[in-house]
Amino acid sequence: MKRAGAWYTETGVQFRVWAPERKRMRLQLFGSNEEFHDMQPVGEGYYELHLNRVPNGTKYKFLPEGETAFPDPASQFQPEGVHGPSAIVDHQYFQWSDLSWKGRAFDELIIYELHIGTFTAEGTFKAAAEKLPELAASGINAIELMPVSEFPGNRNWGYDGTYPYAVHSGYGGPDGLKYFVNAAHENGIAVILDVVFNHLGPEGNYLHEFGPYFTECYVTPWGKAINMDGEWSDGVRNYFSDLVPFWYEEYHLDGLRLDAIHTIYDKGAVHFWELVEQKLKQARQRNGRTFHMIAESDLNSPKVVKSAEYGGYGFDAQWLDDFHHAFYVMLDPAGADRYADFGKVEQVAKAFTDGFVHSGEYVKFRKRRHGASSVGLPGDSFVVFNLNHDQVGNRVGGERLSVLVDFERQKLAAAAIMLSPYVPMLFMGEEYGEDTPFFYFVSHTEEDLIEKVVEGRASEFAEFGWDEQPPNPQEEDTFQRSKIQWEKRNTGKYRVLRDWHSTLIKLRQTHPALRNFNKNDVRVHLLGPQAFVLIRLSADQQVQLACIFNLSDNTVTWTFPEDKPQWTVLLDSAEMQWAEDADAALMRDRHEPTHVSYKASVVGAGVKVLEAADPVQA
């Protein structure tokens, strides 16, 4: 079945729209002479019209019942914003130079989440592309873009998008995203796009004028759920499932991150994610490039990454929130107020060896048992992080980890994700300890909606017990204060942390033990309530790493196994080169010799990585 929207064919443009309960549909073309055309019903609720000689960029709208005009629900470009006309996009115009690009294997990715609007002063794809060589030089090889679909105004996190197929005009539109992806591939960097299938923003959302895209059978945090299994749901399922091959083929993307998949409800015989998997399989066969599907899921369920033929959802990986929660509370004891079910070093150990910390236990926050075991899943089924847009943006002051913990613990946090058996992700600026806030921001134009957003945000923080009011998300200053200051990365402590991340990334990408994603080869030995040793083995069992983590201010000592008389120190966060400043380095030089025997100590918060390159007993 052809996709909805406006598409160029060999002889012109094919317009297609789904409106199953409308008895008539007209097309309005804007130009020197405004034109109206009747569209023809072609079955299953679709209307079509083919026109010759329609220039690229021509603006248009659809008129359900031939009356009021609305933008195309499957619009690929909204040059005048969410309320304006749609514009035709001819994808053959863009000249790609990445035809030899075949993508990257998921287990080799170092992901970097960024928001186009706040990543640079300009807030455009083109400006962001200029930073790619520096990111590549640091070892980052995958970008995860926060949503870029058309949203109201010129500033938004992206989760209020109302046109899932349209690239935001303020960022640079369709050609801007293609330019960014092309530049990323030239720098050896894959691009993953965060997309939202579980809801659409309220402003500029005209889907209800065309068909039953929403259902009252289920409720989400954003209101009515998407209609994936009710009457007339076939058109809705096609609308969203076609987005996957669309981004893959037309924009050469390397994958998608799907927002909150647990709020997509489908009780049909063929689940929505099974339909997606079928279409993606065909697209992969046509294109021959890798394409990764990552889920954000609150289910703590292994079925998310199991194939649909085995009753799963077919994702390649899912975010591992439990890893963040368990480790963060150990870094910052104040975090226990946010994550009351975490705070034990045993949970950190389980996060490293198993994956899900909550795997069927009673969880106070949920007032019920939660999750299932993920022991059998390989490590590259998970993405781990110390920071993401939610963790920082949903704090009243928009504080990053760099503001919440000291420099030594920032290094600890970086080591935790880079030495883990999972795929690591950084949030923009984290690699050098950016300390500007990252707030939630919007730029709606409807006064009633603005009032609701501001009041809702304040109410949400009040429930968490915050004493202060969050900044007004509608104000321009809230957005401007969220922009990172890229030039910091080359000075002082920021440069040190940047180099620390690069060193960890290089170790991760080259050491055989860190290239092994079999969690059966991961061990954790506890050294008290705030310290542990993470053991990583190479796949051939010939090389062993011991990573000593001390999250306290005391000294911890690990005594080596008797069959390992000597170890080589590969990395030590206490070395002078990793000090926050020169004076601290002279006062706190705890570096041991390159080769150590019998035991190793970490004095105060820090991490030490040692290697024993001899056969290891299972």
Side-chain angles (χ1 to χ4, degrees):
M1 181 176 289
K2 299 176 183 178
R3 299 172 186 167
W7 292 90
Y8 275 93
T9 68
E10 294 181 357
T11 57
V13 176
Q14 184 82 22
F15 294 91
R16 196 164 195 266
V17 63
W18 182 71
E21 297 176 310
R22 301 302 184 188
K23 298 179 180 179
R24 185 186 181 195
M25 183 66 63
R26 302 185 76 196
L27 168 71
Q28 179 183 13
L29 291 182
F30 296 86
S32 56
N33 295 312
E34 192 172 69
E35 301 178 19
F36 290 88
H37 301 268
D38 287 325
M39 302 182 70
Q40 302 302 314
V42 292
E44 298 188 32
Y46 288 92
Y47 288 85
E48 286 186 2
L49 177 67
H50 186 276
L51 295 177
N52 298 325
R53 297 183 297 277
V54 182
N56 181 39
T58 297
K59 297 175 183 178
Y60 69 99
K61 283 188 173 183
F62 292 127
L63 290 78
E65 305 292 9
E67 298 173 354
T68 307
F70 299 99
D72 182 355
S75 169
Q76 297 181 44
F77 191 28
Q78 290 294 119
E80 298 177 23
V82 296
H83 301 290
S86 305
I88 302 171
V89 177
D90 188 349
H91 292 284
Q92 298 182 43
Y93 267 77
F94 189 84
Q95 298 298 311
W96 292 95
S97 63
D98 69 342
L99 299 184
S100 62
W101 174 260
K102 297 302 179 184
R104 285 189 173 276
F106 193 74
D107 63 10
E108 70 180 35
L109 298 186
I110 308 294
I111 304 175
Y112 188 86
E113 185 188 23
L114 68 84
H115 178 270
I116 286 294
T118 56
F119 184 58
T120 64
E122 300 86 348
T124 64
F125 291 120
K126 187 173 183 180
E130 295 175 359
K131 309 297 185 185
L132 292 173
E134 284 192 70
L135 290 179
S138 70
I140 291 164
N141 58 21
I143 299 294
E144 181 176 305
L145 294 173
M146 288 177 66
V148 301
S149 295
E150 190 68 33
F151 52 76
N154 59 6
R155 55 189 186 274
N156 196 289
W157 271 20
Y159 300 94
D160 291 315
T162 47
Y163 295 88
Y165 288 83
V167 180
H168 184 57
S169 51
Y171 291 162
D175 282 352
L177 177 56
K178 291 176 184 178
Y179 177 89
F180 180 86
V181 173
N182 205 48
H185 291 169
E186 290 176 352
N187 283 278
I189 297 175
V191 181
I192 298 164
L193 179 63
D194 192 343
V195 293
V196 184
F197 285 13
N198 51 43
H199 75 284
L200 286 89
E203 183 175 350
N205 182 354
Y206 299 109
L207 291 184
H208 60 279
E209 300 289 348
F210 291 87
Y213 281 87
F214 302 94
T215 176
E216 295 183 352
C217 293
Y218 314 103
V219 178
T220 77
W222 311 281
K224 297 178 182 178
I226 301 296
N227 176 23
M228 294 295 187
D229 61 5
E231 293 181 354
W232 293 113
S233 59
D234 289 346
V236 182
R237 289 159 61 87
N238 283 328
Y239 177 83
F240 284 98
S241 60
D242 283 345
L243 278 162
V244 176
F246 169 75
W247 289 116
Y248 181 20
E249 296 178 326
E250 306 303 339
Y251 288 90
H252 291 205
L253 289 172
D254 299 278
L256 298 176
R257 179 265 190 189
L258 281 297
D259 182 65
I261 67 163
H262 52 277
T263 57
I264 295 177
Y265 305 98
D266 183 1
K267 295 182 179 179
V270 178
H271 196 282
F272 173 73
W273 295 119
E274 184 175 356
L275 176 62
V276 168
E277 189 176 39
Q278 293 170 0
K279 292 185 177 182
L280 181 54
K281 181 178 180 180
Q282 296 171 358
R284 282 170 169 155
Q285 292 173 345
R286 290 193 300 267
N287 294 274
R289 288 181 284 109
T290 58
F291 192 84
H292 309 297
M293 293 285 284
I294 306 170
E296 180 196 26
S297 169
D298 191 46
L299 300 174
N300 269 30
S301 172
K303 71 180 180 182
V304 171
V305 293
K306 290 183 178 180
S307 174
E309 63 181 308
Y310 297 108
Y313 291 167
F315 284 88
D316 299 293
Q318 60 182 306
W319 278 18
L320 185 54
D321 287 313
D322 279 7
F323 188 98
H324 167 271
H325 301 344
F327 202 79
Y328 168 62
V329 174
M330 296 298 295
L331 288 171
D332 179 16
D337 294 338
R338 290 169 62 89
Y339 307 110
D341 290 286
F342 296 88
K344 298 179 180 179
V345 71
E346 291 85 358
Q347 294 174 311
V348 174
K350 185 176 181 181
F352 274 108
T353 60
D354 293 19
F356 296 140
V357 173
H358 294 154
S359 54
E361 298 86 347
Y362 180 83
V363 178
K364 290 183 290 185
F365 171 75
R366 301 173 187 275
K367 298 180 177 62
R368 62 175 175 84
R369 293 183 179 275
H370 177 64
S373 174
S374 59
V375 170
L377 298 179
D380 56 352
S381 297
F382 295 103
V383 175
V384 294
F385 40 83
N386 295 307
L387 202 62
N388 61 42
H389 67 275
D390 276 329
Q391 304 304 338
V392 59
N394 287 324
R395 300 186 66 92
V396 68
E399 301 95 341
R400 293 166 173 266
L401 188 66
S402 59
V403 177
L404 300 172
V405 304
D406 61 29
F407 192 75
E408 297 303 319
R409 286 174 174 80
Q410 289 178 63
K411 290 187 289 183
L412 268 172
I417 62 172
M418 294 301 172
L419 299 174
S420 76
Y422 309 118
V423 174
M425 185 181 78
L426 301 167
F427 184 63
M428 61 177 189
E430 180 184 355
E431 78 279 15
Y432 62 86
E434 176 63 76
D435 40 26
T436 57
F438 184 76
F439 298 115
Y440 175 73
F441 43 81
V442 297
S443 54
H444 294 300
T445 62
E446 299 174 353
E447 292 300 324
D448 289 346
L449 179 58
I450 293 171
E451 185 177 346
K452 289 179 181 178
V453 169
V454 173
E455 291 178 352
R457 193 70 175 167
S459 175
E460 181 180 346
F461 281 111
E463 292 178 3
F464 281 102
W466 295 104
D467 295 329
E468 57 184 297
Q469 289 291 315
N472 187 329
Q474 180 71 20
E475 291 182 356
E476 172 80 18
D477 182 63
T478 303
F479 168 70
Q480 293 296 337
R481 290 171 60 195
S482 299
K483 289 180 179 285
I484 67 172
Q485 299 173 9
W486 182 264
E487 63 279 2
K488 289 179 180 177
R489 64 189 289 110
N490 298 317
T491 62
K493 65 178 183 179
Y494 304 107
R495 177 190 57 78
V496 174
L497 195 60
R498 180 204 68 189
D499 292 346
W500 172 254
H501 276 88
S502 294
T503 300
L504 284 167
I505 290 172
K506 183 176 181 180
L507 181 64
R508 177 183 177 86
Q509 292 175 331
T510 57
H511 199 282
L514 299 179
R515 300 301 306 144
N516 179 13
F517 293 88
N518 184 350
K519 297 206 304 299
N520 291 329
D521 293 329
V522 180
R523 311 277 192 276
V524 175
H525 302 298
L526 302 184
L527 301 178
Q530 292 181 288
F532 61 92
V533 181
L534 170 67
I535 302 294
R536 299 292 310 274
L537 301 176
S538 60
D540 61 7
Q541 309 289 293
Q542 298 301 300
V543 182
Q544 179 174 348
L545 280 187
C547 313
I548 308 173
F549 285 85
N550 183 8
L551 292 95
S552 73
D553 293 321
N554 302 315
T555 298
V556 298
T557 300
W558 179 54
T559 302
F560 305 153
E562 294 183 0
D563 61 336
K564 303 290 185 300
Q566 192 173 76
W567 292 70
T568 300
V569 179
L570 299 184
L571 190 62
D572 185 350
S573 65
E575 288 184 346
M576 292 179 63
Q577 63 177 313
W578 307 124
E580 183 174 5
D581 59 70
D583 291 338
L586 292 173
M587 294 174 60
R588 201 181 179 195
D589 183 10
R590 310 188 302 257
H591 181 50
E592 295 185 0
T594 303
H595 299 289
V596 291
S597 300
Y598 305 116
K599 64 181 181 179
S601 298
V602 177
V603 182
V607 60
K608 184 173 292 184
V609 182
L610 307 99
E611 177 188 69
D614 59 327
V616 177
Q617 298 297 320

